Amino acid sequence: MSTHRYALRVACPSIRGVTAAIANYLSTNGCNISDSAQFDDKSTGRYFMRVSFHSEEGRTLSQLREGFAEIVERYAADAEFFDETAKRKVVLMVSRFGHCLNDLLYRWRIGALPIDIVGVISNHTDYQKLVVNHDIPFHCIKVTKENKPAAEAEQMRIVEESGAELIVLARYMQVLSDEMCRRMSGRIINIHHSFLPSFKGANPYKQAFERGVKLIGATSHYVTADLDEGPIIEQDTVRVTHAQSADDYVSLGRDVESQVLARAIHAHIHGRVFVNGNKTIVFPPSPGSYVSERMG
Amino acid sequence: MSTHRYALRVACPSIRGVTAAIANYLSTNGCNISDSAQFDDKSTGRYFMRVSFHSEEGRTLSQLREGFAEIVERYAADAEFFDETAKRKVVLMVSRFGHCLNDLLYRWRIGALPIDIVGVISNHTDYQKLVVNHDIPFHCIKVTKENKPAAEAEQMRIVEESGAELIVLARYMQVLSDEMCRRMSGRIINIHHSFLPSFKGANPYKQAFERGVKLIGATSHYVTADLDEGPIIEQDTVRVTHAQSADDYVSLGRDVESQVLARAIHAHIHGRVFVNGNKTIVFPPSPGSYVSERMG
Amino acid sequence: MSTHRYALRVACPSIRGVTAAIANYLSTNGCNISDSAQFDDKSTGRYFMRVSFHSEEGRTLSQLREGFAEIVERYAADAEFFDETAKRKVVLMVSRFGHCLNDLLYRWRIGALPIDIVGVISNHTDYQKLVVNHDIPFHCIKVTKENKPAAEAEQMRIVEESGAELIVLARYMQVLSDEMCRRMSGRIINIHHSFLPSFKGANPYKQAFERGVKLIGATSHYVTADLDEGPIIEQDTVRVTHAQSADDYVSLGRDVESQVLARAIHAHIHGRVFVNGNKTIVFPPSPGSYVSERMG
Amino acid sequence: MSTHRYALRVACPSIRGVTAAIANYLSTNGCNISDSAQFDDKSTGRYFMRVSFHSEEGRTLSQLREGFAEIVERYAADAEFFDETAKRKVVLMVSRFGHCLNDLLYRWRIGALPIDIVGVISNHTDYQKLVVNHDIPFHCIKVTKENKPAAEAEQMRIVEESGAELIVLARYMQVLSDEMCRRMSGRIINIHHSFLPSFKGANPYKQAFERGVKLIGATSHYVTADLDEGPIIEQDTVRVTHAQSADDYVSLGRDVESQVLARAIHAHIHGRVFVNGNKTIVFPPSPGSYVSERMG
């Protein structure tokens, strides 16, 4: 097919007619909507919409953006047009637990997530060989109390030079500075190995074991200056019994962490997530968005 | 608020501009969309849309329907406007297992499902007292090979005289005739006590036990002339182990059956289900649609 | 079969040979083990065992207890023999949300839980008619700051006179006094409408909504003087999205609360739960233990 | 600690006293039971037991086996003593979908499964480089209708020469001969990408899509001469909607397939699975059995 598959994200104050205005615009510009979702938040008066469409008459993204400026202004909207099939550049950060890294490298290799991993940053060297063998630049940046500002400057330099629009903390165990959190607001996704808000901070599996919960979980969220308090994108849980130790939890948690993080990235990368105060809106996946490019 | 909360369901051939036409129509008629969902089935070329909206300038349902006739014609659409808060009339049918009946009576009592149970039909008398004590008409209609046509005629008479638009087979263990299935197409919901298509027909828990599955399930579907082959609305599963017998499955299955059926009814009653060949489209629930009227 | 189905629970310091001693005792006394489970807690040095068996040569419970005294002494054991088929007397307490009450009444009616509900205590009158129509004594005891000690004395009188060995707080919204908690230690089961330890105290669904979690949950635990901090017996979760309000959570939570509470009671009543510090051991269900007596 | 952690598996006719005999034997031989599970199958009259224990007085496995011979004879038992920490030799077989292979290589690398992967056999060369880079022998054996007996002979030669006691079909898409199935009975584990018994044979995701199910699943089972009919070890499901295509299912299914297979292998390798006719008994995991050796 010669058509392009694009998507549009809009967030604006809830005003009657906005859906019609957007639908008209797309129709008038030769775009055929394939699926869409909307949410009108009564408590905040904000309206959110995501539309997938085919540009059947050849309009390019820049043409679509240009023509849409009038609607953006009329509705005081935040709007973003993007190509659903274009790969987004991502930098991964990891410390010593490698399961999320391994999982994301695999999904990237088979094209199950439309991302380009343009770099991996670690405060350890454990995964240097693994990453390099994937032909991905590996950056070891040790972080200490003393060098933290310099280390973060170096991290940010790598992110910016690589053109990455998203940082994924794939079990990166250093707390980022408030400044870095603010600067990359809505662009850093973390996986925390508990069902937040339970068991924030260090050693959540040990905390969970000591409390005697019957399910452990994982939470993927945008990183903010408040540790483990950012907007939650995805969570899931797995059953444990009295017969499992905190060390068992670490292993059982690997699978749920890897999957929760991958799902959160899938949602973010496909433009399905909107930050709404300290919460998120996560729209359902578009048809075909899970299809991977390769068998394995 | 003096506004009315309505919804619109549309199914039509997939043609560019239909979303815009609908959104324009609603906007022009003083309606504010609160949430919507769409699906464009590439394989069948059919387009499906459900919109929830507030009629802020007082348009009534009949006014909205009238004005919409032009769009219906232009797009060869099936369209239905309805009041999301109006209760739909439902007839339940039950045999000897009463858990789904009990569950639905409870949800009805607390206003958790926008239904009016206008009658219960059974081929046994076990639940006569229970139903009558809820001030719901109870109809015992014995069914034998010989009287089946007459029995069904009587069942249909009750359905029609009560104005019910939906029949729920809440563990009704008689097979309906092809004719009744056709006549009530898309208007009879059954709960089958297996994860279809596994274990069709009689004694699915015994079949499941003999096969040694590790999860048992329940399936709610529209009834068609093909036994246990109708379009599936909802399914779920629950874990079993070697230590449970087929009789244990019967008990463990009660909870999952009750919930799967209730979820299927919720989806149907809120106009979220579209039959698409032998499959269904089930759109997500609108905000607030689970809220019940009473505490218990 | 003329044999009796009994069970034995043992908790004692972990000492080599205790399993053999117990198994020998049962074998020597004509008892055939049908299933058993054990757990040796390395961190506390405590050993826990539950055995189901058939007394094939007619030993009664009191004979078995008597002969076992020597083992109890030798291993400093807490041991309990009981008849798995005997119904345990239970008092339910409820306030204004009736879903757990309704669910437990149903399970009791069909014999899905081996309990006798010997009374329902409420600080409201909402469920008087429902309870009385089940031929169960209903006790309305209003609780205020002023009369709390007297009210609890009255509650305890009812529990004791009825011979109840377990109190189930089926959405009873009053905090019990420390004294009552201590006196009934390990004999009061509560259902809390959150996934503890998240969202303790009042309005957990509102708290969950405000935090923006993607799963809500329920927790059943033994009541201790520390509010919502007692040993957890069972937990489960259900998925929510941005499109559900806190009031939607209340409805969605009903199903998971009812089931989590019923599972916790099932485990307790069948002697599968051991309190181990502030945690619990919950052994798997014996074959046949879910089988209900009636169809509905 | 100088003690060894061993386990014992016993299957025999259900006779009173067998638990006592086993427990006595272990106690007498200086072994301290850490956890155990039993199941008495009423329908077949078979008794199954698994015990984990520490040999505190230095008895070796061969000493324990020798002394146990008398019990084996007395109870006509199948018994197996093994070292829970010893790694079992495994051969993987794979075709073109590599997710299970990738997942198992990762678990093996971090020591999350006590296995030695002593070879990978494939009918394609896609994963040669991946496998070889893990320093695992890779064997490409093309299979055609004509060379099937010779190909299987070669496969069996590799299995035998490597000393593997288990073959894992990690998405190996060739049907094995009846003879190979019989010869390796109970020693070949397959992952089928459907919730069996639904959707046997080829293209289960396409079958599932066409039926319109709301959950897809995966099943791990022992391979028998009846295709997709062997004893089921583990199953799980994942939710899909109308908005996912059969190709989406392929991707969504990867995660559930990988995990179901890994759980089945975990159960088998730890001696928790007993074949019981065409079904399995799967005992709960021993404390600590999920702990992995490395972080990643």
Side-chain angles (χ1 to χ4, degrees):
Chain A
M1 201 168 19
S2 65
T3 66
H4 286 279
R5 177 152 182 188
Y6 295 145
L8 167 63
R9 292 158 48 84
V10 177
C12 65
S14 178
I15 297 168
R16 199 169 75 210
V18 61
T19 311
I22 294 167
N24 278 339
Y25 178 80
L26 292 174
S27 175
T28 308
N29 281 275
C31 298
N32 194 4
I33 294 176
S34 57
D35 78 290
S36 80
Q38 293 165 247
F39 178 64
D40 199 32
D41 187 338
K42 301 296 180 207
S43 62
T44 62
R46 297 283 292 171
Y47 169 92
F48 303 88
M49 185 182 197
R50 181 187 181 279
V51 200
S52 285
F53 59 91
H54 292 269
S55 173
E56 297 180 342
E57 296 182 356
R59 293 296 188 292
T60 63
L61 282 178
S62 62
Q63 288 171 328
L64 288 169
R65 278 176 200 131
E66 200 178 326
F68 200 70
E70 188 271 323
I71 288 177
V72 163
E73 189 162 349
R74 196 188 334 150
Y75 292 99
D78 298 322
E80 185 190 355
F81 283 92
F82 62 99
D83 184 340
E84 280 208 78
T85 58
K87 297 196 173 175
R88 309 284 188 108
K89 291 183 178 170
V90 176
V91 161
L92 308 185
M93 294 176 72
V94 63
S95 293
R96 308 208 64 187
F97 280 93
H99 50 286
C100 289
L101 172 66
N102 183 69
D103 181 78
L104 292 173
L105 287 174
Y106 181 72
R107 293 180 202 267
W108 166 79
R109 245 154 55 202
I110 66 168
L113 284 172
I115 57 173
D116 261 348
I117 302 178
V118 293
V120 174
I121 296 172
S122 181
N123 54 337
H124 295 274
T125 53
D126 306 42
Y127 302 112
Q128 180 155 16
K129 189 177 165 194
L130 176 71
V131 170
V132 165
N133 282 341
H134 281 82
D135 297 319
I136 296 170
F138 180 87
H139 312 271
C140 181
I141 305 177
K142 301 276 180 196
V143 182
T144 61
K145 262 184 197 164
E146 292 71 33
N147 83 339
K148 188 150 185 163
E152 283 201 347
E154 177 65 6
Q155 291 163 359
M156 281 307 301
R157 191 191 57 76
I158 291 164
V159 170
E160 279 162 15
E161 291 189 357
S162 67
E165 56 184 273
L166 179 70
I167 297 175
V168 173
L169 306 185
R171 292 295 239 116
Y172 182 72
M173 305 312 285
Q174 296 284 326
V175 177
L176 304 185
S177 72
D178 290 9
E179 199 209 318
M180 185 160 169
C181 292
R182 270 192 297 272
R183 193 163 156 194
M184 292 291 292
S185 176
R187 293 171 54 202
I188 310 179
I189 293 178
N190 184 43
I191 181 72
H192 183 73
H193 41 311
S194 84
F195 186 78
L196 290 175
S198 289
F199 314 130
K200 290 179 230 181
N203 285 325
Y205 289 129
K206 192 154 171 289
Q207 293 180 58
F209 177 76
E210 279 163 8
R211 181 59 188 92
V213 292
K214 298 300 183 186
L215 298 165
I216 56 171
T219 304
S220 190
H221 61 92
Y222 288 115
V223 172
T224 63
D226 274 344
L227 185 66
D228 298 332
E229 290 282 7
I232 294 170
I233 307 170
E234 173 65 344
Q235 301 187 286
D236 214 339
T237 56
V238 63
R239 198 158 278 273
V240 291
T241 76
H242 59 271
Q244 275 101 49
S245 65
D247 286 341
D248 284 315
Y249 290 9
V250 171
S251 274
L252 288 166
R254 274 195 189 96
D255 288 342
V256 71
E257 290 169 41
S258 299
Q259 287 182 73
V260 164
L261 180 57
R263 281 187 232 143
I265 295 172
H266 187 278
H268 176 93
I269 288 287
H270 285 93
R272 297 193 281 117
V273 189
F274 289 82
V275 173
N276 183 25
N278 198 41
K279 305 204 282 189
T280 63
I281 287 145
V282 183
F283 285 128
S286 291
S289 66
Y290 288 111
V291 179
S292 65
E293 297 169 359
R294 282 174 293 283
M295 279 181 166
Chain B
M1 201 171 15
S2 65
T3 66
H4 286 278
R5 177 153 182 188
Y6 295 146
L8 166 63
R9 291 158 50 83
V10 177
C12 65
S14 178
I15 298 168
R16 200 167 77 209
V18 60
T19 311
I22 294 168
N24 278 339
Y25 178 79
L26 292 174
S27 176
T28 307
N29 281 275
C31 297
N32 194 2
I33 293 175
S34 58
D35 78 290
S36 80
Q38 293 164 247
F39 178 65
D40 199 32
D41 187 338
K42 300 296 180 208
S43 61
T44 61
R46 297 284 291 172
Y47 169 92
F48 302 88
M49 184 182 199
R50 183 188 179 277
V51 199
S52 285
F53 59 92
H54 292 269
S55 172
E56 296 180 342
E57 295 181 357
R59 293 295 187 293
T60 63
L61 283 178
S62 60
Q63 288 171 327
L64 288 169
R65 279 174 199 133
E66 201 178 327
F68 200 70
E70 188 269 324
I71 288 176
V72 163
E73 189 162 350
R74 195 187 334 148
Y75 292 99
D78 298 322
E80 186 190 355
F81 282 92
F82 63 99
D83 184 339
E84 279 207 77
T85 60
K87 296 195 174 175
R88 310 283 188 108
K89 291 182 178 169
V90 176
V91 162
L92 308 184
M93 294 177 72
V94 64
S95 293
R96 308 208 65 186
F97 280 94
H99 51 284
C100 289
L101 173 66
N102 184 69
D103 182 77
L104 292 173
L105 286 174
Y106 181 72
R107 292 180 202 267
W108 165 79
R109 246 153 57 202
I110 67 170
L113 283 173
I115 57 173
D116 261 348
I117 302 177
V118 293
V120 173
I121 297 171
S122 181
N123 54 337
H124 295 273
T125 54
D126 305 42
Y127 301 112
Q128 179 156 18
K129 190 176 165 193
L130 176 72
V131 169
V132 165
N133 282 341
H134 281 82
D135 296 319
I136 296 170
F138 180 87
H139 312 273
C140 181
I141 305 177
K142 300 277 178 196
V143 181
T144 60
K145 263 186 196 162
E146 291 71 34
N147 83 340
K148 189 149 185 165
E152 283 202 348
E154 177 66 5
Q155 291 164 358
M156 282 306 301
R157 191 192 56 76
I158 291 164
V159 169
E160 278 161 16
E161 290 189 359
S162 68
E165 57 184 274
L166 180 70
I167 297 176
V168 173
L169 306 186
R171 291 294 239 117
Y172 181 71
M173 305 313 285
Q174 296 283 327
V175 176
L176 303 186
S177 72
D178 291 8
E179 198 209 318
M180 186 162 169
C181 293
R182 270 191 296 272
R183 194 163 156 195
M184 292 293 290
S185 175
R187 293 172 56 203
I188 310 179
I189 292 177
N190 184 43
I191 180 73
H192 183 74
H193 41 310
S194 85
F195 185 75
L196 288 174
S198 290
F199 314 131
K200 291 179 228 179
N203 285 326
Y205 288 130
K206 192 153 172 289
Q207 292 181 57
F209 178 75
E210 280 163 8
R211 181 59 188 92
V213 292
K214 298 300 184 187
L215 298 165
I216 56 171
T219 303
S220 190
H221 62 92
Y222 289 113
V223 173
T224 62
D226 274 344
L227 185 66
D228 298 333
E229 291 281 8
I232 293 170
I233 307 169
E234 173 65 343
Q235 303 187 285
D236 214 341
T237 57
V238 63
R239 199 159 278 273
V240 291
T241 76
H242 60 271
Q244 275 102 48
S245 65
D247 287 340
D248 285 315
Y249 290 10
V250 172
S251 275
L252 288 167
R254 274 195 188 94
D255 288 343
V256 71
E257 290 169 41
S258 300
Q259 287 181 74
V260 164
L261 180 57
R263 281 187 231 142
I265 296 172
H266 187 279
H268 176 93
I269 288 287
H270 284 93
R272 297 193 280 117
V273 189
F274 290 81
V275 173
N276 183 25
N278 197 41
K279 306 204 281 187
T280 63
I281 287 146
V282 182
F283 285 128
S286 291
S289 66
Y290 288 110
V291 179
S292 65
E293 296 168 359
R294 281 172 294 282
M295 278 179 167
Chain C
M1 198 168 23
S2 65
T3 66
H4 285 279
R5 177 153 181 188
Y6 295 145
L8 166 64
R9 291 159 48 83
V10 176
C12 64
S14 178
I15 297 169
R16 199 168 77 208
V18 60
T19 310
I22 294 168
N24 278 339
Y25 178 80
L26 291 173
S27 175
T28 308
N29 281 275
C31 298
N32 194 4
I33 294 176
S34 57
D35 77 291
S36 80
Q38 294 165 245
F39 178 64
D40 198 33
D41 187 337
K42 301 295 180 209
S43 61
T44 62
R46 296 283 292 171
Y47 169 92
F48 303 88
M49 185 182 197
R50 182 189 181 277
V51 199
S52 285
F53 60 92
H54 292 269
S55 173
E56 296 179 341
E57 296 181 357
R59 294 294 188 294
T60 63
L61 284 177
S62 61
Q63 288 171 327
L64 289 168
R65 279 175 199 132
E66 199 178 327
F68 200 70
E70 188 270 326
I71 289 175
V72 162
E73 189 162 349
R74 195 187 337 148
Y75 291 99
D78 298 322
E80 186 190 354
F81 282 91
F82 62 99
D83 183 340
E84 279 208 78
T85 59
K87 297 194 173 174
R88 310 283 188 110
K89 291 183 178 171
V90 175
V91 161
L92 308 184
M93 295 178 71
V94 63
S95 293
R96 307 208 65 186
F97 280 93
H99 49 286
C100 289
L101 172 66
N102 183 70
D103 181 78
L104 292 174
L105 286 174
Y106 181 70
R107 292 181 202 266
W108 166 79
R109 246 154 56 202
I110 66 169
L113 284 173
I115 56 174
D116 261 347
I117 302 177
V118 293
V120 174
I121 296 172
S122 182
N123 53 336
H124 296 273
T125 54
D126 305 43
Y127 302 112
Q128 178 155 19
K129 191 177 163 191
L130 176 70
V131 170
V132 166
N133 283 340
H134 280 82
D135 297 319
I136 296 171
F138 180 87
H139 312 273
C140 181
I141 304 177
K142 301 277 180 196
V143 182
T144 62
K145 262 185 196 162
E146 291 70 33
N147 82 341
K148 189 150 186 164
E152 284 202 347
E154 177 65 4
Q155 292 164 359
M156 282 306 302
R157 190 192 57 74
I158 291 164
V159 169
E160 280 163 13
E161 290 189 358
S162 67
E165 56 185 275
L166 179 70
I167 298 176
V168 173
L169 305 185
R171 291 295 239 118
Y172 181 72
M173 305 312 284
Q174 296 283 327
V175 176
L176 304 186
S177 72
D178 291 9
E179 198 209 319
M180 186 161 168
C181 293
R182 270 192 297 272
R183 194 164 153 194
M184 292 292 292
S185 175
R187 292 172 54 201
I188 310 179
I189 293 177
N190 183 44
I191 180 74
H192 183 72
H193 41 310
S194 85
F195 185 78
L196 288 174
S198 289
F199 314 132
K200 291 179 229 181
N203 285 326
Y205 289 129
K206 191 153 172 292
Q207 293 181 57
F209 178 76
E210 280 163 8
R211 181 59 188 91
V213 291
K214 298 300 183 187
L215 298 165
I216 55 171
T219 304
S220 191
H221 61 92
Y222 289 113
V223 172
T224 62
D226 274 344
L227 186 65
D228 299 333
E229 292 280 8
I232 294 170
I233 307 169
E234 173 63 344
Q235 303 187 285
D236 214 340
T237 57
V238 62
R239 198 159 278 274
V240 292
T241 77
H242 60 271
Q244 274 101 49
S245 65
D247 286 341
D248 284 316
Y249 290 10
V250 172
S251 275
L252 288 167
R254 273 194 191 97
D255 288 343
V256 71
E257 289 169 42
S258 299
Q259 287 181 73
V260 164
L261 180 57
R263 280 188 232 142
I265 296 172
H266 187 279
H268 176 93
I269 288 288
H270 284 93
R272 297 193 280 116
V273 189
F274 290 81
V275 173
N276 183 25
N278 197 40
K279 305 203 283 188
T280 63
I281 287 146
V282 182
F283 285 128
S286 291
S289 67
Y290 288 110
V291 179
S292 65
E293 295 168 359
R294 281 173 295 281
M295 277 179 167
Chain D
M1 197 168 23
S2 64
T3 67
H4 285 278
R5 177 152 181 188
Y6 295 145
L8 166 64
R9 294 158 47 83
V10 176
C12 65
S14 178
I15 298 169
R16 199 168 78 208
V18 60
T19 311
I22 295 168
N24 278 339
Y25 178 79
L26 292 173
S27 176
T28 307
N29 281 275
C31 298
N32 194 3
I33 294 176
S34 58
D35 78 292
S36 79
Q38 293 165 247
F39 177 64
D40 199 31
D41 187 338
K42 299 297 180 207
S43 61
T44 62
R46 296 284 291 172
Y47 170 93
F48 303 88
M49 185 182 196
R50 182 189 180 278
V51 200
S52 285
F53 59 92
H54 292 269
S55 172
E56 296 179 342
E57 295 181 357
R59 294 294 187 293
T60 63
L61 282 179
S62 61
Q63 288 171 326
L64 288 169
R65 278 175 200 133
E66 200 179 326
F68 201 69
E70 188 271 324
I71 289 176
V72 162
E73 188 162 350
R74 194 185 340 148
Y75 291 99
D78 298 322
E80 185 189 356
F81 282 91
F82 62 99
D83 183 339
E84 280 208 78
T85 59
K87 296 195 173 174
R88 309 283 188 110
K89 291 182 178 170
V90 176
V91 161
L92 307 185
M93 293 177 73
V94 63
S95 293
R96 308 208 64 185
F97 280 94
H99 50 285
C100 289
L101 172 66
N102 184 68
D103 182 78
L104 292 174
L105 286 174
Y106 182 71
R107 293 181 202 267
W108 166 79
R109 245 153 57 202
I110 66 169
L113 283 173
I115 56 174
D116 261 348
I117 303 178
V118 291
V120 174
I121 296 172
S122 180
N123 53 337
H124 295 274
T125 54
D126 305 43
Y127 302 112
Q128 177 156 18
K129 189 177 166 192
L130 176 70
V131 170
V132 164
N133 283 341
H134 280 82
D135 296 319
I136 295 171
F138 180 86
H139 312 272
C140 181
I141 305 178
K142 300 277 181 196
V143 181
T144 61
K145 262 186 197 162
E146 291 71 34
N147 82 341
K148 190 150 184 163
E152 284 202 348
E154 177 67 4
Q155 292 163 358
M156 282 306 302
R157 190 191 58 75
I158 291 164
V159 169
E160 279 162 15
E161 291 189 357
S162 68
E165 57 184 275
L166 179 71
I167 297 175
V168 173
L169 306 185
R171 292 294 240 119
Y172 181 71
M173 305 313 284
Q174 296 283 327
V175 177
L176 304 185
S177 72
D178 290 8
E179 198 208 318
M180 186 161 170
C181 292
R182 269 192 297 271
R183 193 162 156 194
M184 292 291 292
S185 175
R187 293 171 56 201
I188 309 179
I189 293 178
N190 184 43
I191 180 74
H192 182 74
H193 41 311
S194 86
F195 186 78
L196 289 175
S198 290
F199 314 132
K200 289 178 230 179
N203 285 327
Y205 288 130
K206 191 152 172 291
Q207 293 181 56
F209 178 75
E210 280 163 9
R211 180 59 188 91
V213 291
K214 297 300 183 187
L215 297 166
I216 56 171
T219 303
S220 190
H221 61 93
Y222 289 113
V223 173
T224 62
D226 274 344
L227 186 66
D228 298 334
E229 291 281 8
I232 294 170
I233 307 170
E234 173 65 343
Q235 302 187 285
D236 214 341
T237 57
V238 62
R239 198 160 278 273
V240 292
T241 78
H242 59 271
Q244 275 100 49
S245 64
D247 286 341
D248 284 316
Y249 290 10
V250 172
S251 274
L252 288 166
R254 274 194 189 95
D255 288 343
V256 72
E257 290 168 42
S258 299
Q259 287 181 72
V260 164
L261 179 57
R263 281 189 232 141
I265 296 171
H266 187 279
H268 176 94
I269 288 287
H270 284 94
R272 298 193 280 116
V273 189
F274 289 81
V275 174
N276 183 24
N278 198 40
K279 306 203 283 189
T280 62
I281 287 146
V282 183
F283 286 127
S286 292
S289 66
Y290 288 110
V291 179
S292 65
E293 296 169 0
R294 282 173 293 282
M295 279 179 165

